Amino acid sequence: MKARQIVEGFITGLHKSPFYGFSVEFAEHRPYNPGDDLRHVDWKVYGKSERFYVKQYEEETNLRCYVVLDTSTSMDFKHFGELTKRQYGAYLGAAMLYLMHRQRDACGLATFDEKLHTIIPAKSSYRHLRYLFELLQPHAVERPASGQKKTSAAMALHQLAEQIHRRSLVVVLTDLFDDPARQDALLESLKHLRYRHHEVILFHLMEGRSERLFDFADGRLMMEDLETGQKLDVIPSDIRESYRREMEAYTAAFKRTCQEAHIDYEPIDTEGDYTLALLAFLTKRKRMM
């Protein structure tokens, strides 16, 4: 229900915006083209609309797409927002799956933390979509502290690149909180996906006010690393400016490297709505068609 609400709100907003002319076709059937087999024409739809539509079957899928969700412990963070990054990623991923299904695309799902856990091949049936929603459901609720699951995105994405055999769009939802020493390895894993002829869009999920701007109230804070348990006593006002500079430099460098590898990089604020992410996704899909 949440995925459907997000997508239908997005479509309504898109058609009220300057993007009205954007190519968005959400019909369950594709229009009839001269030469199509008349046995596949849906005559019930014709009786209602007086327009010819052809039933689309799974083998006629336009595109194959995989949503890849980081489920490591750092994704359980929230401070100002209502949702953790993992919850936000689960809802965004579900919305993308629903959007793909509406466009008759085949969709698959993968999850990872220290290793690749789930990889479900892409299909376009409604039953398959429901199954993917069931797998995402546990990640859409806030989970209690239950041990630390570190991030090893590089290893997981290398595994994924070897297991997806047909050209696909790979959508990675992560906060990029990995060991800084492994940043080069992460970039190599993304390049590995490109080497295997996949298109890649990376959504960098962060809570803007806390993680990007460090906009905490003045006073002493005890901060804890969710993945290592390490604690640090800080006064936000003392380090806010230097933190912002470091964060800006990190994201700018990562974005630049992604651009050089022809990987789309999209920063997403988990306190914001889903419109920018869905528009970026739809734009990427349009370029692939």
Side-chain angles (χ1 to χ4, degrees):
M1 290 177 64
K2 180 67 173 179
R4 181 176 180 177
Q5 180 184 33
I6 291 170
V7 170
E8 291 183 351
F10 166 70
I11 296 170
T12 301
L14 190 66
H15 284 193
K16 290 181 179 179
S17 76
F19 294 99
Y20 178 78
F22 198 82
S23 176
V24 188
E25 178 53 66
F26 297 99
E28 295 290 336
H29 307 76
R30 65 174 175 83
Y32 173 84
N33 294 313
D36 285 335
D37 192 331
L38 291 176
R39 291 178 299 174
H40 298 317
V41 171
D42 192 324
W43 297 106
K44 291 182 180 179
V45 173
Y46 175 77
K48 295 177 181 179
S49 65
E50 295 187 354
R51 298 179 66 181
F52 292 101
Y53 286 93
V54 176
K55 295 179 181 178
Q56 264 190 317
Y57 298 95
E58 186 170 332
E59 63 270 21
E60 295 178 292
T61 293
N62 295 320
L63 183 71
R64 309 180 78 83
C65 180
Y66 287 82
V67 169
V68 185
L69 178 63
D70 181 352
T71 60
S72 60
T73 309
S74 68
M75 292 286 284
D76 287 333
F77 175 79
K78 70 172 183 178
H79 184 76
F80 296 106
E82 295 182 3
L83 301 174
T84 66
K85 292 178 286 186
R86 182 174 53 86
Q87 288 176 286
Y88 187 97
Y91 284 130
L92 177 57
M96 289 178 177
L97 293 173
Y98 184 75
L99 183 58
M100 284 184 276
H101 176 74
R102 291 285 299 270
Q103 303 226 90
R104 310 305 297 170
D105 293 334
C107 47
L109 176 68
T111 62
F112 71 92
D113 44 52
E114 294 176 284
K115 60 182 180 179
L116 187 65
H117 286 288
T118 302
I119 176 166
I120 307 300
K123 298 181 181 179
S124 59
S125 69
Y126 182 68
R127 177 180 296 181
H128 184 70
L129 177 69
R130 290 291 298 271
Y131 176 54
L132 298 184
F133 283 167
E134 289 175 9
L135 295 176
L136 280 175
Q137 178 63 34
H139 301 295
V141 296
E142 195 167 353
R143 64 185 172 190
S146 58
Q148 290 137 354
K149 296 181 179 179
K150 298 181 181 179
T151 309
S152 183
M155 181 184 300
L157 294 177
H158 277 304
Q159 290 177 305
L160 185 67
E162 291 298 327
Q163 293 188 47
I164 301 177
H165 301 295
R166 297 180 61 181
R167 181 174 181 264
S168 303
L169 171 59
V170 179
V171 180
V172 183
L173 306 171
T174 179
D175 59 3
L176 291 179
F177 280 162
D178 204 336
D179 184 344
R182 294 202 295 257
Q183 183 176 343
D184 288 343
L186 173 56
L187 289 166
E188 286 302 314
S189 68
L190 292 168
K191 292 177 182 178
H192 187 185
L193 286 164
R194 292 288 295 128
Y195 175 77
R196 302 283 291 190
H197 306 295
H198 303 302
E199 293 293 332
V200 182
I201 180 167
L202 176 67
F203 287 103
H204 187 185
L205 306 182
M206 296 184 73
E207 189 182 82
R209 284 190 287 173
S210 57
E211 295 181 303
R212 291 189 187 278
L213 301 179
F214 211 69
D215 195 18
F216 296 102
D218 291 336
R220 190 175 296 276
L221 285 179
M222 180 63 70
M223 312 196 82
E224 180 180 354
D225 187 321
L226 292 175
E227 294 194 356
T228 66
Q230 181 180 357
K231 296 181 179 180
L232 186 65
D233 189 9
V234 301
I235 298 176
S237 58
D238 289 349
I239 64 172
R240 183 173 293 119
E241 292 305 316
S242 59
Y243 176 91
R244 289 178 179 177
R245 286 195 299 271
E246 290 292 331
M247 179 57 69
E248 179 63 28
Y250 171 73
T251 53
F254 205 94
K255 181 178 181 179
R256 182 171 58 253
T257 306
C258 284
Q259 288 175 335
E260 292 170 356
H262 304 288
I263 296 166
D264 288 25
Y265 169 89
E266 297 290 341
I268 300 296
D269 185 352
T270 56
E271 285 192 274
D273 62 27
Y274 302 89
T275 301
L276 291 178
L278 291 176
L279 185 58
F281 166 76
L282 201 58
T283 302
K284 181 73 170 181
R285 180 191 181 279
K286 180 178 173 64
R287 290 204 303 266
M288 291 183 64
M289 299 307 295

